[in-house]
Amino acid sequence: MGSRASTLLREEEIEEIKKETGFSHSQITRLYSRFTSLDKGENGTLSREDFQRIPELAINPLGDRIINAFFPEGEDQVNFKGFMRTLAHFRPIEDNEKNKNLPASEPLNSRTNKLLFAFRLYDLDRDNKISRDELLQVLEKVDVEQKMSIRFLH
Amino acid sequence: MDVGSRPPASLPPRLLSSIKAERDVSAMSSGMKMLLLGVTLLLLRAAGADLSGSAAPHPGPVLSSPSAPPLGPPPGAPGVALSRSAVEEEQEAEEHHGGGYRVVQWEWSYVQTPYIIAIWLLVASVAKILFHFSQRFTTVVPESCMLILLGLVLGGIVLIASKKQLYQLDPSLFFLFLLPTIVGDAGYFMPARLFFDNLGSILTYAVVGTLWNAFCTGFSLYAAKLLGVIDERVQAELMDFLLFGALISAVDPVAVLAVFEEVHVNEMLFIIVFGESLVNDAVTVVLYKVYISFVEVGPGNVQTADYFKGVASFLIVSIGGTLVGLVFAVILGFITRFTKKVRIIEPLFVFLMVYLAYLTAELFSLSAILSMTFCGIGANKYVEANISQKSRTTVKYTMKTLASIAETIIFIFLGISAVDKSKWAWDTGLVSCTLVFIFVFRAVGVVGQTWVLNRFRLVPLDKIDQVVMSYGGLRGAVAFALVVLLDGEQVKAKDYFVATTIVVVFFTVMFQVGAALLKILVSSHVMKPLLNRVSVCSQAFDHILTAVEDIAGLQGYHHWRDKWEQFDKNYLSKLLLRKSVYRKSELWEAYQKINIRDAISVIDQGGNVLTSARLSLPSMASRASFPEVTNVTNYLRENGSGVCLDLQVIDNVPGSKVEEDMETHHVLAGNLYKPRKRYQSHYSRHFMPLGEKERQDREVFQRNMRSRMETFKSTRHKRHKKERSLKKVNILSDLTCCCSVSDPVVVPVEPEEDKADHSDPEKEEDVGITFVARKAETPKQRPKSVPAALDVCQSPPPHTPSPPAADSHLPWKGSVGAPPPCVSVEATKIIPVDLQQAWNQSISSLESISSPPAPAEPVHPRVSALSRLGGPRPLSYTGPTAGGSPSAGPPLPQASFSFPERKKKQQVEEEEEEEEPGASQEMQPLMSPLRLPGRRNPCVYLRSLVTTPPGGSSEPHSHRPTQL
């Protein structure tokens, strides 16, 4: 699939993703090309190693955490749809969406879903609770790496 | 006399506004004269521009100063001799000679300039105070309006007095001194993160918005002129109008700061408008210069290339200014890295470099405001990290003070300048057209740009934001200074422009902002305080967003910010930050900060430290227990000779008066803070004494934590309380009494020992109050304890490891017959250092062995009282080896392992508490485990006491209670 690159992304797939995530057509195609470029195994899915190859992520203190967030529980491969679903959490909420009120399914970038996503970053063992240790781990990681950033007090 | 009309050639033309009003003044009644004299002084050029000796030779308009007839001759103008020009000095000299020696001389000309400046500042500051007397008043009318009004009044008085405006805002004074103070403050304390987060919007508004305003205003005015709305007298061409449009269109940082900070708009709005006002300086400067040159050349001679030069000039001015600022920021950061030894001049570096950034940019005619702003923004992070806390505070307050006073002066001067009719000419058409155009185009520009920007912004600017922004497009002193700077020869309509500018400035500052509408809008809108710090949480978000951008392959804002942060961390910070700071964990800093704040807040609340429980408990207990003690004494008397030494002590149990004193002492020592030293033993110009405040904060914090621990513990042990028998209560009260007796004994010893044995700074606590107790107690107890101690140091090793618990608990008072078991400082010191540890260990092992068992058989109540008397107390302090305790206990080498020991002690203590719940509970208020090392001493002292009884010699006695 990877070798055939973005051409393989069919219109109906795009439509489906668009519906689910709210990304625009051009965004989807661009992210798809990114997806394929990350996909070194060229099997249509990304593994953890694929993510870890991104140099910037290696230095990001929360990199592992983010990568984990892309993988549903128990799996170590993520396909394009899953990839997009995760990214959709970071799409800004637009005004017209606020008023739309979709009772059927909450959009992925809603406030609740964003919060949920952030929560899961801390919830390492996925027991829907952030234990003290989990919180500590995250914070510690941030701060050890962040020792340098002195805040602008006052 | 009228110097203004014949200035010395050396004076720059714009300095001519200096004035001497005395001539007219002298004609008036003396009462009036006094008033006017004051006013006149104020109006004289206030600031440094005058230092060059701007004054003309002054014939001496003798103001026979009514207030000071005896002040000697009126040489060279008691009123306002403006400088000590040669002529004047000669005159003065002659007069002095002529009059012979004068005891008192009127040296006005000598002090004049600084005097006037000082008076000026004083009046401005007092005016501020007055404005803020009424809370309601200041919420309705912005301060800047009041200042302008005050200026108008002052100007009016002078005008009446001298028929001529004596002073107006001097551009060079404004640009070289007043503006930099304000911009420097703003730039240095600019919330950098917020600024860069909104950089896109800021740049758009600053560049596009200002250009739009300038061109539209200029062309529209020209159109109005052509249409005849503007009077014929206004001789202005298209270029003139464009020039005027350029200077009138820029949002003014001074006004924005003054007004927006006062009405508390939300932070995003503030940073956008304020950032715009700073950045558009470059635009204004370039437009202004370009037009000026065009006007000089004549519109006809302008070639196409010149327009491109104008654009290039804009880029150079803005980018160049920014670069100059950044260069100075780096230098500043680098310098402050090495100021550790000269903390006292740290703030000076900050001011100098920031100001130099401004001047340097001005030197190359780059955008000085941009330069200063970026110098402030860039250096802030490194400087704040490098310099000491005190320097930080100094910088902060000095900058704020300067900025505030500069702002005050500017607004007052604006008011004063407005009164001078000779400087401006009124044209209703021009004024009204300008007003209308400015507001219309500002509103249109804001709405249009916001519409575009909102398509890109994550947080869109809503309608109210836009209204506030349109309203907040304030014109201020910068525009005024620029218009005054215009050359009247080339710009014929200058006077009209001046008038219009004044009106516009007044209008925007006073009506626009004073408008209730804005108030309502803003107040109903958002009032979040500026949030400058980056919390850990938002850092996490930054990282998340960066990671997601990386994954998605977007080179977005977060990506670049992350890149920058990496660069900053790897190179810049290494270069610009001190090593110690570089390694310091931010988390630690935050933790410290929170702690201190916590402590301070507790104290502010009046402190739960001094609770009634703590106050009443000891005293009540001891009162009740007094007879008990006597009983004990009697008992001891009856029992054997070994008691003798101890009996002395007990007999010496002080009268109730002394006891009360001691209680008071304990309460005070426990709750009061160390007295502040009034005098510094030495004075140094180069070093600041160690912060009294810091010490106090720390003390507050420690006490706070201690009291928390106590409450925690006492609640924990409350359940045990009920299990206790009444008898026990009595015993306990005995105990407390004893504690109160014995505690102070040890305390006095602390200070010396502390200093001698430990370098830990915290040990210096409690130096002050504890001495009170010494008088009462020390003499009685010390002598006794010395011999005992000697005993101790030899006895511990051969201890029999299984003394009955009751015995081991026997303290100095209770250890019947035990040869004086007290340990004194001197004694313990005898123990060799290397043995000390072993000794400690043996003690602690003893402790663990001895503590568990409790007297199994029913004991004679008195005996149990006796044993308990000593027992719980030492136990609660069983700091094995009483680590870190400097004074009475084994004081030698423990400092090193004091901390773990303390933990251990707490553990032991807890065990003990299980055993002796009531006792330990009662003990808590008096001696909590959290006490400072100094305060912990008693435990050490007692601890060694406890361990002694089992010592060989004391054995027969120590067994007695159980035998009974």
Side-chain angles (χ1 to χ4, degrees):
Chain A
M1 174 168 167
S3 57
R4 282 161 287 173
S6 59
T7 49
L8 195 102
L9 203 61
R10 282 164 312 192
E11 278 302 317
E12 54 265 34
E13 278 178 320
I14 293 182
E15 278 305 313
E16 198 182 324
I17 293 170
K18 210 167 159 183
K19 215 168 162 188
E20 188 180 4
T21 63
F23 280 115
S24 73
H25 192 285
S26 63
Q27 282 168 328
I28 294 175
T29 46
R30 194 180 60 186
L31 286 173
Y32 188 69
S33 69
R34 174 68 179 173
F35 182 83
T36 47
S37 76
L38 286 179
D39 182 16
K40 301 290 186 212
E42 305 200 336
N43 51 5
T45 57
L46 294 182
S47 63
R48 278 169 212 272
E49 289 72 37
D50 286 329
F51 280 106
Q52 279 152 6
R53 247 176 249 128
I54 304 174
E56 290 88 355
L57 270 188
I59 53 171
N60 194 316
L62 293 181
D64 292 342
R65 209 63 55 113
I66 306 285
I67 293 173
N68 270 338
F70 274 89
F71 294 94
E73 201 168 349
E75 295 180 33
D76 44 4
Q77 297 287 315
V78 58
N79 59 12
F80 183 58
K81 221 180 261 176
F83 181 75
M84 292 301 281
R85 218 174 283 131
T86 312
L87 285 184
H89 286 105
F90 294 92
R91 215 165 53 79
I93 307 172
E94 276 157 31
D95 277 347
N96 49 10
E97 282 177 275
K98 268 183 201 159
N99 311 325
K100 227 189 266 175
N101 266 341
L102 295 171
S105 65
E106 214 175 355
L108 284 170
N109 60 346
S110 71
R111 183 180 165 78
T112 325
N113 275 327
K114 277 175 194 284
L115 283 176
L116 207 59
F117 185 88
F119 181 84
R120 288 206 197 104
L121 286 181
Y122 288 80
D123 183 18
L124 292 177
D125 54 8
R126 307 206 180 193
D127 61 350
N128 286 334
K129 292 186 193 71
I130 298 180
S131 71
R132 184 171 175 279
D133 290 336
E134 286 167 342
L135 184 66
L136 270 185
Q137 270 190 43
V138 174
L139 291 187
E140 207 167 81
K141 210 146 189 213
V142 169
D143 278 299
V144 168
E145 296 300 316
Q146 275 307 105
K147 265 181 188 172
M148 269 324 302
S149 56
I150 283 95
R151 63 181 85 177
F152 295 79
L153 314 153
H154 335 293
Chain B
M1 168 69 220
D2 191 349
V3 192
S5 60
R6 44 185 180 82
S10 66
L11 272 183
R14 54 179 179 294
L15 295 186
L16 291 185
S17 42
S18 350
I19 21 45
K20 296 86 212 175
E22 314 70 45
R23 175 184 55 181
D24 306 80
V25 175
S26 60
M28 315 185 93
S29 73
S30 72
M32 191 61 182
K33 263 190 253 171
M34 278 312 294
L35 172 67
L36 287 176
L37 174 63
V39 174
T40 319
L41 297 189
L42 295 179
L43 297 177
L44 289 172
R45 16 198 38 247
D50 212 18
L51 295 171
S52 58
S54 64
H58 205 292
V62 183
L63 169 65
S64 47
S65 56
S67 63
L71 282 185
V80 192
L82 278 186
S83 80
R84 324 200 75 189
S85 66
V87 181
E88 198 174 346
E89 274 174 45
E90 242 170 65
Q91 277 181 349
E92 253 177 70
E94 276 170 26
E95 284 183 52
H96 284 191
H97 281 296
Y101 179 75
R102 308 277 169 166
V103 179
V104 181
Q105 292 182 4
W106 179 252
E107 292 283 9
W108 170 248
S109 60
Y110 182 55
V111 297
Q112 182 213 5
T113 306
Y115 204 89
I116 291 175
I117 294 172
I119 297 279
W120 215 173
L121 296 180
L122 182 69
V123 166
S125 312
V126 169
K128 271 201 158 189
I129 296 179
L130 293 180
F131 292 153
H132 286 278
F133 258 132
S134 163
Q135 188 64 38
R136 210 176 44 189
F137 184 68
T138 43
T139 51
V140 177
V141 188
E143 193 185 274
S144 45
C145 298
M146 289 314 302
L147 290 172
I148 288 186
L149 286 179
L150 175 71
L152 281 174
V153 172
L154 288 178
I157 293 173
V158 175
L159 197 67
I160 294 167
S162 65
K163 307 275 192 296
K164 180 180 179 309
Q165 186 47 281
L166 305 175
Y167 191 76
Q168 66 174 3
L169 194 57
D170 175 38
S172 71
L173 168 69
F174 174 76
F175 281 117
L176 288 181
F177 298 102
L178 296 178
L179 188 57
T181 48
I182 294 173
V183 175
D185 169 63
Y188 189 73
F189 295 108
M190 170 93 76
R193 175 73 194 269
L194 210 55
F195 181 79
F196 287 108
D197 280 356
N198 292 294
L199 190 60
S201 310
I202 292 173
L203 283 179
T204 314
Y205 285 119
V207 178
V208 180
T210 309
L211 286 176
W212 156 270
N213 281 348
F215 282 115
C216 289
T217 313
F219 281 117
S220 304
L221 283 177
Y222 185 61
K225 175 84 164 44
L226 290 183
L227 289 175
V229 181
I230 295 172
D231 200 280
E232 284 301 319
R233 288 169 300 162
V234 182
Q235 302 171 337
E237 293 307 311
L238 176 60
M239 276 301 161
D240 298 318
F241 280 121
L242 284 178
L243 173 60
F244 180 62
L247 61 85
I248 202 73
S249 61
V251 177
D252 180 63
V254 181
V256 169
L257 270 182
V259 174
F260 269 44
E261 278 194 340
E262 209 165 327
V263 293
H264 303 298
V265 292
N266 80 52
E267 52 179 354
M268 192 183 68
L269 211 52
F270 177 81
I271 203 71
I272 288 179
V273 179
F274 180 57
E276 176 194 350
S277 72
L278 289 178
V279 178
N280 71 15
D281 173 64
V283 183
T284 315
V285 166
V286 171
L287 278 182
Y288 184 77
K289 281 181 185 154
V290 168
Y291 286 139
I292 289 258
S293 62
F294 285 0
V295 170
E296 280 170 2
V297 179
N301 304 329
V302 177
Q303 292 156 2
T304 330
D306 291 339
Y307 293 104
F308 290 105
K309 278 185 194 164
V311 175
S313 159
F314 165 71
L315 292 178
I316 290 173
V317 164
S318 53
I319 297 174
T322 309
L323 284 181
V324 168
L326 292 179
V327 166
F328 273 91
V330 171
I331 298 175
L332 175 56
F334 195 67
I335 288 181
T336 52
R337 197 183 152 179
F338 302 104
T339 49
K340 190 170 185 189
K341 297 269 164 44
V342 281
R343 291 277 190 204
I344 212 78
I345 56 168
E346 272 173 349
L348 188 65
F349 280 121
V350 179
F351 299 128
L352 282 185
M353 295 310 285
V354 173
Y355 189 45
L356 274 180
Y358 183 91
L359 291 182
T360 312
E362 198 87 313
L363 180 67
F364 296 110
S365 64
L366 301 172
S367 169
I369 291 185
L370 269 184
S371 167
M372 203 174 198
T373 308
F374 276 93
C375 182
I377 292 181
N380 182 294
K381 171 180 168 180
Y382 308 105
V383 170
E384 294 280 291
N386 278 339
I387 64 180
S388 69
Q389 177 65 43
K390 282 201 189 61
S391 302
R392 251 177 267 171
T393 314
T394 311
V395 168
K396 188 172 157 190
Y397 274 92
T398 315
M399 280 207 173
K400 295 279 177 216
T401 310
L402 287 178
S404 160
I405 207 68
E407 184 190 287
T408 310
I409 291 177
I410 287 174
F411 281 117
I412 293 188
F413 272 39
L414 271 179
I416 292 177
S417 320
V419 185
D420 186 8
K421 258 211 118 191
S422 68
K423 287 278 189 280
W424 48 263
W426 181 267
D427 180 72
T428 315
L430 180 63
V431 169
S432 48
C433 280
T434 312
L435 275 179
V436 171
F437 289 146
I438 280 180
F439 295 137
V440 169
F441 290 128
R442 170 77 185 173
V444 173
V446 165
V447 171
Q449 292 172 80
T450 312
W451 185 77
V452 176
L453 283 172
N454 272 349
R455 322 184 111 226
F456 300 101
R457 287 181 62 89
L458 274 182
V459 188
L461 296 161
D462 59 20
K463 289 206 174 60
I464 295 177
D465 287 334
Q466 294 177 34
V467 173
V468 174
M469 282 179 66
S470 325
Y471 260 159
L474 300 164
R475 276 66 169 178
V478 173
F480 181 77
L482 283 174
V483 82
V484 171
L485 265 182
L486 286 178
D487 186 353
E489 297 288 311
Q490 280 155 355
V491 185
K492 302 280 192 316
K494 180 190 170 185
D495 288 353
Y496 291 99
F497 288 157
V498 171
T500 313
T501 309
I502 290 175
V503 172
V504 168
V505 170
F506 280 25
F507 194 86
T508 52
V509 172
M510 298 174 81
F511 291 92
Q512 228 180 328
V513 180
L517 177 59
L518 181 63
K519 283 279 183 191
I520 292 161
L521 279 177
V522 170
S523 61
S524 69
H525 202 35
V526 231
M527 297 266 231
K528 268 187 293 175
L530 277 176
L531 177 89
N532 294 349
R533 68 179 155 214
V534 184
S535 68
V536 173
C537 180
S538 68
Q539 270 179 17
F541 277 122
D542 286 347
H543 287 299
I544 293 170
L545 292 178
T546 313
V548 169
E549 273 192 2
D550 291 335
I551 288 174
L554 307 170
Q555 309 256 303
Y557 172 70
H558 295 284
H559 174 83
W560 289 114
R561 210 203 39 242
D562 196 56
K563 282 256 187 252
W564 162 254
E565 275 174 8
Q566 291 297 331
F567 171 75
D568 175 64
K569 181 181 161 188
N570 291 334
Y571 303 103
L572 266 186
S573 294
K574 264 183 197 158
L575 177 71
L576 300 181
L577 286 183
R578 273 185 206 159
K579 286 225 171 54
S580 55
V581 183
Y582 184 77
R583 299 212 184 93
K584 205 168 180 185
S585 160
E586 182 189 350
L587 199 60
W588 169 245
E589 227 173 70
Y591 171 76
Q592 248 180 340
K593 253 192 177 340
I594 291 169
N595 271 345
I596 296 290
R597 204 178 46 207
D598 223 24
I600 290 171
S601 75
V602 166
I603 292 315
D604 286 347
Q605 290 158 12
N608 46 20
V609 194
L610 204 81
T611 54
S612 58
R614 277 193 73 178
L615 264 177
S616 58
L617 184 78
S619 69
M620 275 161 43
S622 60
R623 237 176 250 135
S625 66
F626 197 54
E628 276 301 312
V629 176
T630 345
N631 287 346
V632 174
T633 323
N634 293 335
Y635 173 78
L636 289 176
R637 271 203 186 122
E638 292 160 13
N639 286 286
S641 58
V643 196
C644 283
L645 277 172
D646 290 326
L647 277 181
Q648 287 179 355
V649 182
I650 291 169
D651 283 343
N652 276 340
V653 164
S656 60
K657 174 84 164 58
V658 181
E659 206 168 316
E660 283 296 328
D661 282 352
M662 283 184 314
E663 280 153 22
T664 317
H665 158 73
H666 284 303
V667 172
L668 290 181
N671 295 306
L672 287 185
Y673 296 96
K674 246 171 95 181
R676 299 166 187 241
K677 265 188 224 156
R678 300 284 161 135
Y679 308 104
Q680 293 300 333
S681 50
H682 63 280
Y683 167 82
S684 165
R685 201 175 304 161
H686 309 290
F687 302 102
M688 298 283 273
L690 202 86
E692 197 70 8
K693 175 129 191 324
E694 280 161 33
R695 199 209 59 188
Q696 192 107 10
D697 286 348
R698 204 174 54 218
E699 196 185 354
V700 166
F701 169 64
Q702 283 160 344
R703 267 171 210 266
N704 181 22
M705 289 310 286
R706 195 191 312 157
S707 70
R708 282 187 191 178
M709 274 308 269
E710 277 165 18
T711 45
F712 172 71
K713 290 224 162 182
S714 57
T715 47
R716 223 185 108 208
H717 291 288
K718 219 150 231 170
R719 53 203 161 96
H720 295 292
K721 203 172 189 176
K722 285 165 191 165
E723 297 162 16
R724 285 183 305 159
S725 66
L726 255 176
K727 211 182 277 171
K728 270 186 182 173
V729 176
N730 279 340
I731 293 159
L732 275 175
S733 49
D734 274 1
L735 213 162
T736 354
C737 170
C738 291
C739 292
S740 61
V741 173
S742 55
D743 202 13
V745 184
V746 189
V747 177
V749 198
E750 295 166 16
E752 306 94 42
E753 285 304 309
D754 273 336
K755 279 162 194 162
D757 291 342
H758 298 276
S759 53
D760 189 343
E762 296 189 353
K763 299 265 169 65
E764 281 172 36
E765 302 286 340
D766 288 344
V767 176
I769 292 174
T770 45
F771 282 107
V772 180
R774 196 187 259 178
K775 215 180 279 170
E777 284 303 306
T778 333
K780 293 171 216 155
Q781 307 233 343
R782 267 233 198 137
K784 177 188 59 89
S785 59
V786 177
L790 283 168
D791 214 53
V792 174
C793 24
Q794 286 131 17
S795 55
H799 271 325
T800 51
S802 56
D807 286 1
S808 71
H809 291 180
L810 285 180
W812 40 284
K813 271 178 217 157
S815 61
V816 195
C822 293
V823 181
S824 87
V825 191
E826 297 85 347
T828 34
K829 267 183 182 166
I830 299 171
I831 303 174
V833 174
D834 42 351
L835 280 184
Q836 190 85 29
Q837 199 173 349
W839 187 65
N840 290 335
Q841 279 165 0
S842 71
I843 284 176
S844 54
S845 64
L846 274 179
E847 199 62 58
S848 53
I849 294 165
S850 63
S851 52
E857 350 149 31
V859 203
H860 186 285
R862 278 181 182 176
V863 177
S864 73
L866 197 68
S867 60
R868 284 180 192 272
L869 189 68
R873 176 140 173 260
L875 281 177
S876 70
Y877 282 99
T878 31
T881 79
S885 82
S887 79
L892 286 183
Q894 272 107 2
S896 55
F897 50 100
S898 69
F899 185 58
E901 299 251 304
R902 200 201 297 177
K903 265 191 196 162
K904 208 160 145 202
K905 178 177 77 184
Q906 277 173 351
Q907 283 172 2
V908 177
E909 184 182 37
E910 274 168 15
E911 288 168 20
E912 294 304 328
E913 277 163 3
E914 293 303 319
E915 196 189 336
E916 297 266 357
S920 52
Q921 189 214 340
E922 292 287 12
M923 297 308 303
Q924 292 305 329
L926 276 176
M927 322 167 140
S928 87
L930 257 187
R931 292 203 176 184
L932 305 175
R935 300 250 68 214
R936 236 182 285 125
N937 292 333
C939 73
V940 178
Y941 181 69
L942 290 165
R943 202 210 163 288
S944 43
L945 294 179
V946 184
T947 45
T948 20
S953 59
S954 66
E955 233 176 320
H957 304 289
S958 59
H959 281 286
R960 196 184 294 165
T962 15
Q963 285 159 1
L964 276 173

